Amino acid sequence: MARKTKTETELTRRLIIEAARRNFAERGVRHTTLEQIAEAAGVTRGAIYWHFANKSEILLAVRDDVAMPLLERLENLLMGSDGDGREDPLGSIEEFLHTHIDRVTNDPATRQTFEIMFFKCEYTGEFGETLRTMVCKTHGMEERLTAAYRAAASKGQLRLGTDPAALARDTYAFLVGIVRLSVGPGNLTSPETTIPVMIRDHIALRRG
Amino acid sequence: MARKTKTETELTRRLIIEAARRNFAERGVRHTTLEQIAEAAGVTRGAIYWHFANKSEILLAVRDDVAMPLLERLENLLMGSDGDGREDPLGSIEEFLHTHIDRVTNDPATRQTFEIMFFKCEYTGEFGETLRTMVCKTHGMEERLTAAYRAAASKGQLRLGTDPAALARDTYAFLVGIVRLSVGPGNLTSPETTIPVMIRDHIALRRG
DNA sequence: GGGCAAACATACACGAATGTATGGATAATT
DNA sequence: AATTATCCATACATTCGTGTATGTTTGCCC
């Protein structure tokens, strides 16, 4: 095959990643062969083996393609886009939860990626490190939540007798739960409508 | 090989299940071969293929061996072991959460099984049905929580302006989150001590 | 503009795991 | 006590996917 332009090269790389994401989400990582990814991307296994060492690295690329920019955007949404402290910290926490779930449910790439990470892959061996790093990332998010709740407490938005750190841990566990719920098979009555209600109720429980 | 006694037969079946559980939790379902399970169980692949059709059925057996009796025990713990309504519904909810994660963290078989279900298997194809049935099961648990919170409301244990159904959904998402946290790689500061604290705070948030 | 390596397609070799077929010894059944 | 089906070990066939080796063309750099 002939050599491609740099932009063409990057395009086939992206085609491979997106084809892999769709196939991973449908059949699971285990049951998708590189041949299927290649066919879905309109290339051959030769192209895949030139861009990636093996299937695990494709999975890492799929994850980094969505999870990383998403977490960054969410982080500075929590920090407050203007400077550091907002005038409505509790509201920005709720907004943070809403936009996160909105991304997960409505953006196909994000949804498929989270679907893969939650249900369609095994965290084993070399890929088990991924879990550890994810936990670290989200642990940082918990700290952001703590800071936000502390700011909310100083503004008098929280009910009395509540500990910001405890609220943050509770919200974090809550977030993990609703993400798993919204990504999983939708057997709860109406997934797109109940989750926002749950978020509102979750925040309302803290409001003083 | 010679024919075994019925009790011996059931014993080898249990040996296979337990060997499979350990291997699944360690290397993941994908990377464990039937040969490894057989070796860990002290038998050959012939025994496995006599008891189970394939690896998926072993996984189902591993799941049913722990998840089913656990959920049953938890259910009648929520219902109240004596009749239906307890004198302290909110306390029994908290106790329910405590015993659940106590099982998950301290009982090796339960912990390994949940570890497999959360991180070491892919819900794909025929096994994807398992997820759906699990969701249905836990949806029933959410209804039990709603009833318990309603009982707590009628006893005046809850703070004013709270909706039992909303509290139940929140607690359910919280439960999923902390189970995932306690089963996953322990990067949160101290897993065995923080989780009970989180549960206490979670319940304290509802108390009126 | 000439050399060189990029960017793949094609073809092949290989192992590894699965499923099955067979055999044999004995517990259960009558 | 004879028979049968159970319970499992052993051995074999087979497929499937991976990894690699090779070839070919052309964009890029000096």
Side-chain angles (χ1 to χ4, degrees):
Chain A
M1 186 79 177
R3 178 176 182 176
K4 298 288 184 63
T5 295
K6 281 199 171 185
T7 59
E8 284 178 325
T9 301
E10 190 57 27
L11 182 129
T12 60
R13 183 190 148 89
R14 290 212 51 78
L15 284 179
I16 292 173
I17 290 179
E18 292 171 8
R21 169 162 36 74
R22 292 194 304 270
N23 278 270
F24 285 164
E26 281 181 16
R27 321 175 213 244
V29 176
R30 160 71 211 276
H31 290 85
T32 50
T33 166
L34 296 184
E35 180 66 36
Q36 295 172 337
I37 296 177
E39 186 187 353
V43 294
T44 66
R45 276 172 48 245
I48 295 182
Y49 273 105
W50 194 90
H51 282 279
F52 306 97
N54 46 37
K55 202 200 285 182
S56 299
E57 297 223 351
I58 303 179
L59 181 56
L60 289 179
V62 168
R63 170 183 68 107
D64 295 344
D65 190 46
V66 165
M68 292 304 182
L70 175 67
L71 288 186
E72 283 186 13
R73 250 177 301 146
L74 289 179
E75 273 190 3
N76 53 16
L77 193 148
L78 256 188
M79 300 276 294
S81 51
D82 44 276
D84 50 86
R86 291 288 281 274
E87 79 287 350
D88 182 17
L90 197 57
S92 62
I93 293 177
E94 182 175 350
E95 186 187 351
F96 157 74
L97 296 175
H98 279 299
T99 56
H100 193 196
I101 290 297
D102 178 70
R103 292 280 178 186
V104 168
T105 56
N106 293 334
D107 180 42
T110 305
R111 183 194 177 81
Q112 288 170 350
T113 303
F114 273 80
E115 199 176 341
I116 295 168
M117 305 291 289
F118 268 92
F119 299 115
K120 302 303 176 60
C121 74
E122 302 183 5
Y123 295 90
T124 169
E126 74 281 20
F127 193 62
E129 299 302 317
T130 295
L131 241 192
R132 233 168 294 265
T133 59
M134 290 288 278
V135 170
C136 288
K137 281 272 181 203
T138 52
H139 187 68
M141 195 167 68
E142 185 186 330
E143 292 176 358
R144 296 291 160 77
L145 280 173
T146 304
Y149 273 122
R150 228 188 301 268
S154 69
K155 299 263 183 182
Q157 293 186 307
L158 301 181
R159 51 178 298 223
L160 301 175
T162 54
D163 174 34
L167 293 180
R169 286 193 298 263
D170 190 82
T171 296
Y172 175 60
F174 170 75
L175 177 60
V176 173
I178 59 175
V179 168
R180 190 183 151 96
L181 281 183
S182 55
V183 171
N187 262 15
L188 63 168
T189 46
S190 48
E192 287 86 9
T193 64
T194 55
I195 300 286
V197 173
M198 289 176 67
I199 293 177
R200 244 183 301 276
D201 292 335
H202 180 85
I203 296 296
L205 206 58
R206 279 125 225 270
R207 194 163 269 130
Chain B
M1 187 75 177
R3 179 176 180 174
K4 297 288 184 65
T5 295
K6 282 199 172 186
T7 59
E8 283 178 326
T9 300
E10 190 58 26
L11 183 126
T12 60
R13 182 189 149 89
R14 292 213 49 78
L15 284 179
I16 292 173
I17 290 179
E18 293 173 6
R21 169 161 37 75
R22 291 194 304 269
N23 277 270
F24 286 164
E26 281 182 19
R27 320 174 214 245
V29 176
R30 160 73 212 276
H31 290 86
T32 53
T33 165
L34 297 184
E35 180 67 36
Q36 294 171 338
I37 296 177
E39 186 187 354
V43 293
T44 65
R45 275 172 50 244
I48 294 181
Y49 273 105
W50 194 91
H51 282 280
F52 306 96
N54 46 37
K55 201 200 285 183
S56 299
E57 298 225 351
I58 304 179
L59 181 56
L60 288 178
V62 168
R63 170 183 67 106
D64 295 344
D65 189 46
V66 164
M68 293 303 184
L70 175 66
L71 287 185
E72 284 186 12
R73 250 177 302 144
L74 290 179
E75 272 189 4
N76 53 15
L77 192 148
L78 256 188
M79 301 275 293
S81 50
D82 44 279
D84 49 85
R86 292 289 283 273
E87 78 287 350
D88 182 17
L90 198 55
S92 62
I93 292 177
E94 182 175 350
E95 187 188 351
F96 157 74
L97 296 175
H98 278 300
T99 57
H100 192 197
I101 69 111
D102 178 70
R103 292 278 180 188
V104 169
T105 56
N106 293 334
D107 181 42
T110 304
R111 181 194 179 84
Q112 288 170 351
T113 303
F114 274 80
E115 199 176 342
I116 295 168
M117 305 292 288
F118 268 91
F119 300 114
K120 301 302 177 61
C121 73
E122 302 184 6
Y123 295 90
T124 170
E126 75 280 21
F127 192 62
E129 300 303 316
T130 295
L131 241 192
R132 233 169 294 264
T133 59
M134 289 287 278
V135 170
C136 287
K137 281 275 182 202
T138 52
H139 187 69
M141 195 167 69
E142 184 186 331
E143 292 176 358
R144 296 291 160 79
L145 279 173
T146 304
Y149 273 122
R150 228 187 301 269
S154 70
K155 300 263 181 180
Q157 293 186 307
L158 302 182
R159 48 178 299 222
L160 300 176
T162 54
D163 175 33
L167 293 180
R169 286 192 299 263
D170 191 82
T171 296
Y172 174 60
F174 170 74
L175 177 60
V176 173
I178 60 175
V179 168
R180 189 183 151 96
L181 281 184
S182 56
V183 170
N187 262 15
L188 64 168
T189 46
S190 47
E192 288 86 9
T193 63
T194 57
I195 299 286
V197 173
M198 289 176 68
I199 293 177
R200 242 183 302 277
D201 292 335
H202 180 84
I203 295 296
L205 207 58
R206 281 123 224 274
R207 193 162 269 132

